[in-house]
Amino acid sequence: MTLLPETDHGTPQATSEQTVSLTIDGRTVTVPEGTSVMRAASEAGISIPKLCATESLKAFGSCRLCLVEIEGRKGTPSSCTTPVAAGMTVATQTPRLAALRRGVMELYISDHPLDCLTCAANGDCELQDMAGAVGLREVRYGYEGANHLSAEKDTSNPYFTFDPAKCIVCSRCVRACAETQGTFALTIDGRGFAAAVTAGQGQDVLDSECVSCGACVQACPTATLMEKSVIDHGQPTHAVLTTCAYCGVGCSFKAEMQGETVVRMVPHTDGGANEGHSCVKGRFAWGYATHPDRVTTPMIRARITDAWRPVSWDEAIAFAAARFKAIRAEYGADAIGGITSSRCTNEEVFVVQKMIRAAFGTNNVDTCARVCHAPTGYGLKQTFGTSAGTQDFRSVEAADVILLIGANPTDGHPVFASRMKRRLRAGAKLIVADPRRIDLVRSPHVEATHHLALRPGTNVALINALAHVVMTEGLADRAFIADRCDPSSFAEWAAFITDPRHAPEALEPITGVPAADVRAAARLYATGGNGAIYYGLGITEHSQGSTAVMGLANLAMATGNIGRPGVGVNPLRGQNNVQGSCDMGSFPHELSGYRPVSDEAVRAQFQAVWGVAVGAEPGLRLPNMLDAAVDGRFRGMFIQGEDIAQSDPNTRHVRAALEAMDCVVIQDLFLNETAAFAHVFLPGTSFLEKDGTFTNAERRINRVRPVMRPKTGKHEWQVACDLATALGYPMHYDHPSGIMDEIAALTPTFAGVSFEKLDRLGSVQWPCTDAAPAGTPIMHRDHFVRGEGRFMVTAFVPTEERTSRAFPLILTTGRILTQYNVGAQTRRTANVAWHAEDVLEIHPHDAEQRGIRDGDRVSLASRMGATSLTARLTDRVPQGVVYTTFHHPETAANVVTTEHSDWATNCPEYKVTAVQVTRANLRTGDDAPPVAAE
Ligand code: SF4
Ligand code: SF4
Ligand code: SF4
Ligand code: FES
């Protein structure tokens, strides 16, 4: 077993295409221009001692350990800050250098506790290594003088400690926080002997700006910043490369282990999505996987009012199969169905949708993407021809203007946000379109050029106004349009969009955004160089979600911002495998690869491999399944890893539907809210037990590898196979790689994918085919997948959800960095230190009108229902808008959300709900206004 060591060449790789040759210790070395002497040496296998240098950060030159001698130059320059030059002759090991390095190390060690044997970093400490490398044998200065050995340890962060006694003030942590993470939470205070790392005067780490990404811990060469899990367990003995199971960024991690115990998760430098960075969730919040709340035994019950009865796998499978069969016999196959999970692997999702189609005998399969990014699938398919984002994450490094609309990446997609912030600090311009003042509007060293604070529900109007300016001010890329797009769709759209009713001035009363700002933003996007659009659920979760996605695609085509690095239309997808669950045929009208069930040739392919007929009619979507359940027409459901009783809109309706069914089977880690309505509970596996693949928001297929055996005794794909077999459709695979082989055989965009290739290349981005065997980082390069790009007319139709006297405010919802989705995982970790409850953000003016003070308990009521939560007064939200998260079941934020949904895909309109907010538990004499009648 190995810890998968990664070589640290000390300074970042140079990108120049010009090369330079030099001699280091008598060897001729050729490297790209701009490479440091340290890196050139390292790449040639010559190791120069270092402490303040690390490959992920710019050279700093403070420790003076990496000194070298260069022929013809005076002194002993530091190799980390000295670029190579043609013909240079370098010596890295001379008696003079050895003496100097020992002297430097002696000074460090004289102010360092000598507790190596009992230190948590013993064996994984660069200071220790360097003392050995320079041959330090004694410290002449003694330890009696002034030192930092009694400095107080900061243990406030739940996941790592800061022990200043061990700090060598190399500044790697400070630079990591600035350069890698972009938070700037740390500084070096004082000078000389008094210099010390601080998270703010008198402030501990927990109370500081720190977002616990772990970059500083990763960068620290000593035990100063140390994972508590390593302090508790000791050093890991082996590592397994796997993928984070939280968000759609899809970060790669080394799970560092002792036996089957995770000691820590270390972001993998070669991870295509994260390149060595992480956020607090993937880096630290994995404890839920072994939380005592996990249910690991199958359970059944005849009625949902009965107590659960733990049973064997065989009994649970037989019970579920008997119930499904009984429903099928009485009501037909279309009275049952299921939903797949975007938290599960591609292989697990594929077998569940196969089980539903082949063993249940129905196309009634849907996925949680229905409630998040279904409009992305629809909108991008209509315009570009494929249901996925156009770029890889790295593309943002070539963007000149970023239009960020309806997304809050610093909370929702933090590792991508760090990458984006790096580009913004390097000079790219940012346009934020969001009702709320999200962090990126203004954060350290990043400021949006424009913040278009539109009214919730007016995305399409705003996007149309932007496009109107592009078209009427002569900013369109006519050559691109003529060359790449369908002329008749363009002509129709151009006539539509140039109509004066789409002028920013005409739409200002609707969007609330000053026309001048819209015009300036449109000009910037169209003429500022490479324009890249990034969007999230703030675009899709609307009654016009699909229209807005098509509007963004129109905008990108009209300005020629498609088909090269730095541009594109990029959905920031929510769950770890939401892209994959859609790719795998989880929609009722599509088989894997987004091919319609109505296409006979497509069906024939599947039928040949599956040996069973596949229905030609699309099945029911999730909301339709729930409606049919309430009507008594839909009676049994298999729910893979979703908590629809908490996550779906109009909770009362969802619960009524679940309650009405004869057989609800849940496969999950925990007894979630939905399990209260289930008859069969099949315990699921965490990502640490899974063997398969996840596909992230940039279409990157990453391997998920097990670090422990399934705590349930069965892999989830085996459970689906067993249930299908019990239903009379024998289904068997020897290994998940066999499932991927079937996916590849049946899905053109996955044709070249196999576990063997993924293990060899690390990851690939689909389409992965004979024509693109290593995958496709950027799509639509020479032509669109559908041939010509199609412009779509995007008429703005206001939502039916309206404010009134009784419900005068608009509620919009979102996420917070430390929690995830309905919180099933993150609430079972120390992340609750940051977000123990959902709060309601309300503008001080709206609060004052209602007699609400910061911290008051308030009632939040809509036409659908009411809940209560704590108010936080802030001008991050504009007047008339309130905002909350939905991570805690106690809040039950979806009790108030409505059943309005996207016209094309039924994606719920989570982002616009008319509400009233009042102080809860008013005391006598309090004067909050009563709720008015509508
Ligand atoms: S954990 Fe991340 S945000 Fe916090 S101080 Fe370290 S680098 Fe900065
Ligand atoms: S905490 Fe670690 S990385 Fe930061 S200055 Fe001290 S030794 Fe260097
Ligand atoms: S950014 Fe997303 S994928 Fe990456 S570590 Fe955080 S939660 Fe995991
Ligand atoms: S490693 Fe070069 S000066 Fe520290």
Side-chain angles (χ1 to χ4, degrees):
M1 291 292 198
T2 140
L3 276 178
L4 303 172
E6 296 169 47
T7 308
D8 181 349
H9 292 299
T11 60
Q13 188 160 29
T15 50
S16 172
E17 284 173 10
Q18 306 295 323
T19 57
V20 169
S21 292
L22 68 160
T23 307
I24 304 178
D25 291 348
R27 288 159 64 176
T28 303
V29 178
T30 302
V31 289
E33 197 174 43
T35 304
S36 70
V37 168
M38 172 181 278
R39 185 169 182 118
S42 176
E43 286 182 0
I46 300 165
S47 167
I48 301 175
K50 64 182 189 315
L51 273 173
C52 69
T54 186
E55 182 175 321
S56 58
L57 303 171
K58 285 184 221 140
F60 194 57
S62 71
C63 75
R64 305 289 297 153
L65 200 62
C66 67
L67 311 176
V68 290
E69 291 179 15
I70 298 175
E71 250 179 51
R73 290 204 195 175
K74 280 196 201 142
T76 51
S78 52
S79 60
C80 63
T81 52
T82 305
V84 293
M88 192 181 241
T89 301
V90 180
T92 70
Q93 305 292 344
T94 67
R96 178 186 174 205
L97 292 172
L100 285 168
R101 288 177 189 147
R102 267 199 291 275
V104 169
M105 281 308 296
E106 211 177 346
L107 282 171
Y108 278 126
I109 298 299
S110 68
D111 190 9
H112 198 83
L114 295 182
D115 61 355
C116 287
L117 281 183
T118 52
C119 176
N122 189 16
D124 183 31
C125 171
E126 291 181 43
L127 190 68
Q128 195 180 41
D129 294 347
M130 288 307 117
V134 305
L136 186 69
R137 296 288 172 261
E138 59 172 338
V139 174
R140 288 164 296 168
Y141 309 118
Y143 302 97
E144 298 79 31
N147 59 48
H148 300 85
L149 302 184
S150 55
E152 206 180 322
K153 194 166 173 176
D154 178 350
T155 58
S156 61
N157 186 288
Y159 295 118
F160 59 86
T161 59
F162 173 63
D163 184 357
K166 295 187 170 171
C167 180
I168 58 169
V169 201
C170 66
S171 194
R172 274 164 64 163
C173 55
V174 176
R175 290 179 285 138
C177 191
E179 290 176 31
T180 309
Q181 165 56 24
T183 291
F184 298 84
L186 302 176
T187 48
I188 302 275
D189 225 19
R191 294 172 146 253
F193 178 79
V197 174
T198 164
Q201 267 307 331
Q203 213 168 218
D204 59 27
V205 173
L206 186 64
D207 293 332
S208 72
E209 295 295 311
C210 167
V211 293
S212 281
C213 69
C216 56
V217 184
Q218 186 68 9
C220 182
T222 67
T224 312
L225 285 157
M226 195 76 209
E227 296 94 343
K228 287 182 176 174
S229 57
V230 176
I231 296 172
D232 289 348
H233 293 290
Q235 289 293 322
T237 57
H238 67 279
V240 178
L241 207 52
T242 191
T243 304
C244 176
Y246 279 113
C247 85
V249 177
C251 298
S252 295
F253 281 89
K254 292 187 285 186
E256 295 195 343
M257 310 290 299
Q258 281 177 352
E260 290 197 334
T261 301
V262 181
V263 175
R264 68 178 161 194
M265 297 290 278
V266 177
H268 186 44
T269 312
D270 288 339
N274 56 323
E275 296 180 350
H277 192 32
S278 60
C279 84
V280 59
K281 295 189 287 286
R283 179 73 152 94
F284 296 117
W286 32 265
Y288 71 88
T290 48
H291 193 278
D293 283 357
R294 254 191 81 177
V295 181
T296 53
T297 311
M299 300 189 297
I300 60 173
R301 56 185 177 182
R303 288 173 298 273
I304 61 171
T305 46
D306 295 347
W308 284 110
R309 187 161 66 83
V311 292
S312 67
W313 274 110
D314 285 349
E315 190 174 349
I317 300 278
F319 182 88
R323 286 230 166 171
F324 282 132
K325 274 185 185 167
I327 299 171
R328 198 168 54 183
E330 192 171 349
Y331 300 96
D334 287 337
I336 52 178
I339 53 173
T340 65
S341 170
S342 294
R343 318 208 58 70
C344 289
T345 62
N346 286 319
E347 295 71 18
E348 290 166 336
V349 168
F350 186 84
V351 290
V352 166
Q353 65 85 34
K354 177 176 175 180
M355 171 186 79
I356 291 167
R357 295 189 204 273
F360 285 20
T362 174
N363 281 324
N364 288 341
V365 56
D366 210 348
T367 177
C368 66
R370 177 68 55 211
V371 298
C372 64
H373 267 287
T376 290
Y378 181 88
L380 295 184
K381 177 120 189 188
Q382 293 298 314
T383 47
F384 299 160
T386 194
S387 298
T390 61
Q391 313 294 116
D392 59 356
F393 288 143
R394 184 175 290 163
S395 163
V396 78
E397 289 162 18
D400 298 308
V401 181
I402 295 168
L403 169 57
L404 180 67
I405 179 162
N408 184 10
T410 51
D411 281 291
H413 301 84
V415 166
F416 176 69
S418 292
R419 208 188 265 249
M420 184 185 272
K421 284 198 279 187
R422 265 202 299 283
R423 178 64 198 135
L424 293 168
R425 290 198 302 276
K429 298 276 189 287
L430 176 65
I431 302 162
V432 173
D434 199 293
R436 261 174 102 229
R437 199 180 65 239
I438 60 170
D439 285 348
L440 281 170
V441 171
R442 183 176 291 169
S443 58
H445 305 279
V446 169
E447 184 161 3
T449 306
H450 302 285
H451 175 207
L452 312 178
L454 73 172
R455 291 202 180 96
T458 64
N459 285 327
V460 172
L462 178 70
I463 294 165
N464 283 348
L466 290 166
H468 177 90
V469 176
V470 169
M471 291 299 292
T472 54
E473 293 193 8
L475 310 177
D477 185 340
R478 295 279 172 178
F480 180 91
I481 295 165
D483 196 33
R484 301 281 309 271
C485 301
D486 167 42
S488 70
S489 72
F490 174 69
E492 191 187 348
W493 176 75
F496 160 82
I497 208 72
T498 51
D499 188 287
R501 72 181 192 278
H502 297 125
E505 293 71 17
L507 290 169
E508 182 175 326
I510 292 170
T511 61
V513 184
D517 290 355
V518 177
R519 286 195 179 275
R523 289 171 195 143
L524 178 60
Y525 170 71
T527 64
N530 286 335
I533 296 173
Y534 291 88
Y535 72 90
L537 301 180
I539 279 289
T540 55
E541 290 179 341
H542 288 273
S543 60
Q544 280 205 290
S546 293
T547 318
V549 172
M550 293 188 292
L552 293 175
N554 291 339
L555 202 51
M557 287 188 288
T559 52
N561 278 312
I562 286 287
R564 61 182 189 277
V567 299
V569 180
N570 304 283
L572 294 175
R573 308 202 67 150
Q575 307 230 45
N576 53 328
N577 198 34
V578 65
Q579 179 70 54
S581 73
C582 299
D583 300 341
M584 290 300 104
S586 294
F587 290 126
H589 64 297
E590 285 170 341
L591 288 152
S592 60
Y594 306 97
R595 282 156 318 134
V597 291
S598 54
D599 185 325
E600 205 176 317
V602 170
R603 278 202 321 282
Q605 245 194 316
F606 282 80
Q607 285 164 177
V609 175
W610 291 357
V612 68
V614 175
E617 287 298 315
L620 295 174
R621 295 171 174 179
L622 173 58
N624 306 121
M625 290 186 221
L626 298 175
D627 292 345
V630 171
D631 294 347
R633 290 178 287 116
F634 185 82
R635 309 191 72 96
M637 194 175 204
F638 182 94
I639 302 175
Q640 180 190 32
E642 283 301 322
D643 191 4
I644 59 172
Q646 197 189 167
S647 63
D648 283 37
N650 191 358
T651 309
R652 264 196 275 186
H653 180 67
V654 177
R655 288 170 187 234
L658 289 166
E659 218 169 321
M661 285 189 245
D662 303 326
C663 181
V664 175
V665 178
I666 304 273
Q667 189 169 32
D668 216 309
L669 300 182
F670 305 106
L671 274 175
N672 56 21
E673 301 293 303
T674 312
F677 303 92
H679 305 88
V680 181
F681 186 90
L682 304 176
T685 52
S686 76
F687 78 112
L688 296 173
E689 295 140 73
K690 291 184 191 297
D691 194 348
T693 56
F694 292 151
T695 308
N696 76 354
E698 43 164 12
R699 296 170 278 104
R700 186 183 299 280
I701 307 163
N702 277 314
R703 280 283 275 123
V704 186
R705 296 185 180 86
V707 301
M708 56 183 73
R709 289 160 294 172
K711 295 197 169 298
T712 60
K714 246 187 214 299
H715 286 289
E716 290 193 25
W717 58 269
Q718 291 172 323
V719 176
C721 288
D722 290 352
L723 183 52
T725 305
L727 283 162
Y729 177 76
M731 202 158 102
H732 174 81
Y733 299 91
D734 290 329
H735 187 264
S737 60
I739 306 174
M740 179 52 87
D741 292 343
E742 185 172 317
I743 295 166
L746 288 172
T747 316
T749 44
F750 275 65
V753 182
S754 66
F755 278 26
E756 181 278 321
K757 182 181 277 186
L758 293 170
D759 291 342
R760 189 160 35 89
L761 300 185
S763 63
V764 293
Q765 288 170 267
W766 67 255
C768 176
T769 57
D770 282 350
T776 310
I778 294 178
M779 296 191 79
H780 317 296
R781 272 189 181 268
D782 305 316
H783 55 83
F784 286 94
V785 168
R786 68 176 301 283
E788 292 177 324
R790 175 157 64 157
F791 283 86
M792 299 293 289
V793 168
T794 52
F796 171 61
V797 181
T799 170
E800 286 171 24
E801 180 72 356
R802 302 285 161 82
T803 52
S804 64
R805 266 190 344 123
F807 302 106
L809 304 170
I810 292 283
L811 168 73
T812 188
T813 58
R815 287 185 183 154
I816 198 155
L817 169 69
T818 52
Q819 293 296 315
Y820 193 71
N821 220 12
V822 293
Q825 292 121 300
T826 42
R827 281 185 286 107
R828 291 182 172 93
T829 69
N831 278 26
V832 288
W834 292 279
H835 188 78
E837 61 170 344
D838 294 316
V839 297
L840 186 78
E841 291 186 4
I842 183 167
H843 191 275
H845 180 81
D846 293 328
E848 190 186 352
Q849 277 187 334
R850 291 162 174 77
I852 294 168
R853 290 162 306 198
D854 197 62
D856 276 354
R857 201 74 194 157
V858 294
S859 155
L860 173 73
S862 75
R863 295 180 179 93
M864 308 310 293
T867 184
S868 71
L869 61 180
T870 301
R872 177 178 296 152
L873 274 54
T874 171
D875 63 2
R876 276 169 72 100
V877 285
Q879 266 177 252
V881 175
V882 291
Y883 169 89
T884 189
T885 49
F886 45 79
H887 302 305
H888 291 268
E890 306 79 44
T891 315
N894 284 325
V895 165
V896 299
T897 51
T898 70
E899 284 192 304
H900 297 306
S901 64
D902 175 44
W903 62 271
T905 64
N906 279 145
C907 179
E909 188 165 51
Y910 284 123
K911 302 296 182 186
V912 187
T913 308
V915 293
Q916 177 58 294
V917 179
T918 50
R919 267 176 70 189
N921 303 324
L922 290 178
R923 297 180 301 269
T924 315
D926 281 344
D927 54 359
V931 174
E934 281 198 81

